[in-house]
Amino acid sequence: MLSLSLNTVTLLYLVASVCFIQALKGLSHPTTSIKGNVFGMTGMAIAVFTTVGLIGTMAQNLAGANLSQGLLLVAVGLVVGGVIGATMAKRVEMTKMPELVAFMHSMIGLAAVFIAVAAVAEPYALNITQKGEPIPVGNRLELFLGAAIGAITFSGSVIAFGKLSGKYKFRLFQGAPVVFSGQHMLNLVLGIATVGLGLVFMFTESWEAFFLMLALSFVLGVLIIIPIGGADMPVVVSMLNSYSGWAAAGIGFSLGNSMLIIAGSLVGSSGAILSYIMCKAMNRSFFNVILGGFGGDAGTAAAAGGGAQRPVKSGSPDDAAFLMSNADSVVIVPGYGLAVARAQHALKELTEKLHAKGITVKYAIHPVAGRMPGHMNVLLAEAEVPYDQVFEMEDINSEFGQTDVVLVLGANDVVNPAARTPGSPIYGMPILEAYKAATVIVNKRSMASGYAGLDNDLFYMDKTMMVFGDAKKVVEDMLKAVE
């Protein structure tokens, strides 16, 4: 029979917390990311099995509790959840990673809601109070906050998942913002009503107020995400990550579970910091993102820019290979198009051939390239690209002016010189300064605009050559030409 003393539980939770902190530290850099993941998995394993032992201890202290049945249900949940999680992680494609993250956030939010409902229904079973006694006011506040944030996280993450997927025809799941008259006022009213009902529950322990508050929170989660366009989805994913952490921390206070409090606080604070970093990288404020509207209608914006009528220089993969083979330095800018085509392995072979010719090759990564932070770093790591060849924006921007050739693969907004033009919707956004290189090669399937829905001035410069086609096919053709 698995049961642990409270002192042992406290010690093991402390060890797990240290592992989580080390995990965050390790994940801050690609070279230590594997170690960070190991710390994270170790900490979570310790936390899970310690919690199982704590459940056994609590069940022994409850008169008439069916310990065997309870632990069996916990074991079944662990096995089923573990198998589903492992299967999803193994099958997920690199381009679908942001969707998986959004899905995980939704599950964390829903778990917080379920725990809050269970705590309100039977607080004595969770050691919140004695049987028949009312829930303390402080615990009611914590349950209200945890449940509300969890509900908003769940429904908001479902919408984010749909927008990232892009394969559902339901309008709420489209990348374009869904806006209507009086939308912000409606959100404000619902927010005030949600808080008001939460306070009613806190002071009266009214079940009706609690469940109505939950219903409004689910609706609010949908309404605050639907007006946000595709260009801001990376920030939304990070923001929802933060919400899920605070939801877990709120529930942790109610249950008196230090592990939930610490882990939730770590996730919540790190997600908030990451959201700030990403907003700064996009020259957007957090409130601009929440109010939505940026990156909505790409087609309309592109048409307004008249991009289809402006002349561009185009060439073949052989032409691009010739330019790179005769350069001294090449900088590669990967984007979402590279991920969609799964061209990272062919790209690594190409860079190896260029290195063999004595050409210096580096990779330039923008903080919001792809659809989530670190998307391009993970993509290149999967192809085992050496970490010393990968540079962040602030470290490599000063080198573009001395670079012979820049190869842009599927990136768009992050290299758009319009960010330097006053009046542009992306004016002030930090970009990779590819336009400063002597020659620019851009690979795209078409002249379609990026998430921000803006024409890219880089494509029309005299120094730029467009190579149209699937990134993997184009890179493979470049590789043959270099050989």
Side-chain angles (χ1 to χ4, degrees):
M1 184 180 298
L2 181 61
S3 62
L4 300 172
S5 68
L6 292 180
N7 286 337
T8 302
V9 168
T10 301
L11 177 61
L12 291 175
Y13 276 165
L14 177 62
V15 173
S17 300
V18 172
C19 288
F20 290 149
I21 294 171
Q22 289 298 316
L24 285 177
K25 181 180 178 181
L27 292 172
S28 64
H29 195 277
T31 57
T32 57
S33 59
I34 295 178
K35 184 186 296 184
N37 272 306
V38 171
F39 271 116
M41 291 185 291
T42 301
M44 185 55 67
I46 294 173
V48 168
F49 288 107
T50 301
T51 302
V52 172
L54 180 60
I55 292 172
T57 302
M58 291 171 61
Q60 285 181 325
N61 295 333
L62 292 174
N66 191 330
L67 177 60
S68 299
Q69 182 180 4
L71 290 179
L72 177 61
L73 290 174
V74 171
V76 170
L78 287 174
V79 172
V80 172
V83 169
I84 293 175
T87 302
M88 291 177 65
K90 184 177 181 180
R91 293 182 178 179
V92 67
E93 299 175 5
M94 188 56 60
T95 54
K96 304 298 182 183
M97 190 64 71
E99 296 166 40
L100 178 63
V101 173
F103 173 79
M104 295 301 182
H105 294 165
S106 71
M107 292 296 100
I108 295 173
L110 190 60
V113 171
F114 284 159
I115 294 173
V117 171
V120 171
E122 295 186 349
Y124 60 89
L126 297 172
N127 281 350
I128 296 176
T129 184
Q130 297 297 317
K131 192 168 185 177
E133 295 182 358
I135 302 174
V137 174
N139 291 103
R140 291 180 215 163
L141 173 62
E142 294 155 1
L143 288 170
F144 147 55
L145 292 175
I149 297 173
I152 292 172
T153 302
F154 170 72
S155 56
S157 296
V158 170
I159 298 299
F161 172 86
K163 284 178 174 284
L164 288 168
S165 176
K167 61 183 179 181
Y168 301 105
K169 295 182 179 180
F170 191 42
R171 189 185 176 199
L172 295 182
F173 292 153
Q174 299 300 306
V178 178
V179 295
F180 53 85
S181 179
Q183 186 170 29
H184 298 313
M185 182 58 66
L186 175 61
N187 290 348
L188 177 61
V189 170
L190 289 178
I192 293 174
T194 299
V195 173
L197 288 167
L199 294 176
V200 170
F201 166 73
M202 185 180 77
F203 290 113
T204 67
E205 200 173 343
S206 167
W207 274 58
E208 292 79 6
F210 179 79
F211 283 107
L212 187 54
M213 175 273 297
L214 269 184
L216 291 183
S217 297
F218 282 122
V219 173
L220 193 58
V222 173
L223 292 177
I224 65 175
I225 302 300
I226 58 173
I228 301 176
D232 286 325
M233 271 303 112
V235 180
V236 172
V237 171
S238 177
M239 176 188 71
L240 291 170
N241 174 46
S242 180
Y243 286 1
S244 67
W246 297 126
I251 296 299
F253 278 108
S254 298
L255 302 181
N257 188 301
S258 58
M259 187 71 265
L260 270 178
I261 297 171
I262 294 172
S265 299
L266 288 173
V267 172
S269 56
S270 61
I273 293 170
L274 183 58
S275 297
Y276 168 77
I277 292 173
M278 294 178 66
C279 285
K280 185 178 180 181
M282 298 168 67
N283 194 37
R284 303 269 283 152
S285 74
F286 180 75
F287 291 106
N288 288 152
V289 173
I290 295 301
L291 292 176
F294 180 56
D297 193 347
T300 301
Q309 299 175 359
R310 297 168 66 182
V312 298
K313 293 180 180 179
S314 62
S316 67
D318 289 351
D319 297 328
F322 176 80
L323 291 172
M324 289 188 290
S325 296
N326 288 278
D328 291 325
S329 58
V330 174
V331 173
I332 298 173
V333 179
Y336 187 66
L338 178 73
V340 172
R342 305 179 189 176
Q344 62 270 29
H345 297 283
L347 180 61
K348 184 197 175 186
E349 292 184 48
L350 175 62
T351 57
E352 287 176 342
K353 293 296 182 182
L354 294 175
H355 273 297
K357 291 178 175 289
I359 301 168
T360 301
V361 181
K362 297 180 180 180
Y363 294 83
I365 307 296
H366 191 279
V368 294
R371 286 190 170 182
M372 64 182 293
H375 198 172
M376 294 301 104
N377 299 82
V378 175
L379 191 76
L380 297 178
E382 184 185 42
E384 298 183 351
V385 172
Y387 293 132
D388 59 2
Q389 294 179 14
V390 182
F391 294 83
E392 300 299 325
M393 178 179 64
E394 60 271 16
D395 297 323
I396 201 169
N397 258 352
S398 61
E399 299 185 24
F400 280 112
Q402 293 78 46
T403 300
D404 296 322
V405 177
V406 169
L407 174 60
V408 180
L409 292 168
N412 200 327
D413 300 323
V414 298
V415 293
N416 192 343
R420 300 287 185 267
T421 305
S424 168
I426 61 171
Y427 175 64
M429 171 181 169
I431 60 169
L432 290 166
E433 298 173 346
Y435 66 92
K436 291 184 177 180
T439 301
V440 180
I441 303 169
V442 179
N443 166 237
K444 281 175 58 69
R445 290 179 180 270
S446 68
M447 291 296 293
S449 57
Y451 287 131
L454 302 175
D455 220 1
N456 194 331
D457 295 338
L458 178 67
F459 301 164
Y460 307 102
M461 289 183 171
D462 290 336
K463 65 174 68 176
T464 301
M465 181 178 73
M466 304 295 297
V467 181
F468 296 106
D470 176 80
K472 185 175 183 181
K473 178 67 167 56
V474 168
V475 172
E476 288 175 345
D477 289 343
M478 289 180 185
L479 178 59
K480 293 177 183 177
V482 169
E483 291 176 341

